[in-house]
Amino acid sequence: MRLWSLAPDYLDRQGLTACWREALLAQAVLAGRTKGYRDHPQLARFRATPDPLAAVGAYLEGIAAEASARTYSFDRGRILDAPHAGRPPVPRIPVTDGQLEFERAHLAAKLRVRTPGLAPALEEAERVRAHPLFTVVPGAREDWERG
């Protein structure tokens, strides 16, 4: 499971689609709808929030917004706890700049193979942006990251 901390617009088509599917799986785990992946380390940051389902819903919404910008049709109806008017915003989750740099290198390696035309924008960015759910803080790679 790879739930990218990077802004979704860095992802190629395959990466965006995979992230959507994996975030839906994360949502199912957090909702208690599946027995697999319950102990996956990337779920720790969602579980640490006051409302994990709302947090993963906000994450999915960020992915769906990027899909819509590309005219893809991801079914927002699959988001169990989607952000909506009248609901307080989901608190942003901290992610370290070291984690973003780790993910930049990881994604750049994938893009160089799958979609070489997208790799330079990621590799040459002075600072990479995070998914809108996350706020960047100084620090090393996250403890939950494997690899």
Side-chain angles (χ1 to χ4, degrees), residues 16 20 59-69 72 74 76 79:
L16 190 67
W20 173 255
Y59 183 85
L60 280 160
E61 181 56 37
I63 301 299
E66 177 58 26
S68 291
Y72 303 163
F74 287 10
R76 283 184 161 100
I79 303 173

Side-chain angles (χ1 to χ4, degrees), residues 7 11 17 20 37 91 102 128:
L11 300 172
T17 303
W20 173 255
Y37 293 93
F102 174 82
V128 289

Side-chain angles (χ1 to χ4, degrees), residues 29-84:
V29 172
L30 293 171
R33 293 183 172 182
T34 183
K35 293 182 183 190
Y37 293 93
R38 287 186 305 199
D39 297 322
H40 198 283
Q42 285 206 23
L43 296 178
R45 58 183 164 174
F46 294 98
R47 284 193 176 112
T49 67
D51 188 345
L53 274 178
V56 79
Y59 183 85
L60 280 160
E61 181 56 37
I63 301 299
E66 177 58 26
S68 291
R70 297 183 195 188
T71 68
Y72 303 163
S73 35
F74 287 10
D75 181 6
R76 283 184 161 100
R78 297 185 66 188
I79 303 173
L80 297 178
D81 199 354
H84 56 80

Side-chain angles (χ1 to χ4, degrees), residues 126-145:
E126 188 174 322
R127 287 181 44 192
V128 289
R129 291 170 286 101
H131 181 289
L133 177 61
F134 302 115
T135 187
V136 183
V137 299
R141 189 173 72 187
E142 297 283 355
D143 291 341
W144 47 258
E145 180 64 68

Side-chain angles (χ1 to χ4, degrees), residues 104-120:
R104 178 206 306 243
H106 186 61
L107 180 57
K110 288 178 175 287
L111 292 177
R112 282 192 298 273
V113 172
R114 282 194 319 231
T115 319
L118 294 180

Side-chain angles (χ1 to χ4, degrees), residues 94-107:
V95 65
T96 62
D97 52 5
Q99 179 65 30
L100 288 179
E101 286 303 320
F102 174 82
E103 290 185 20
R104 178 206 306 243
H106 186 61
L107 180 57

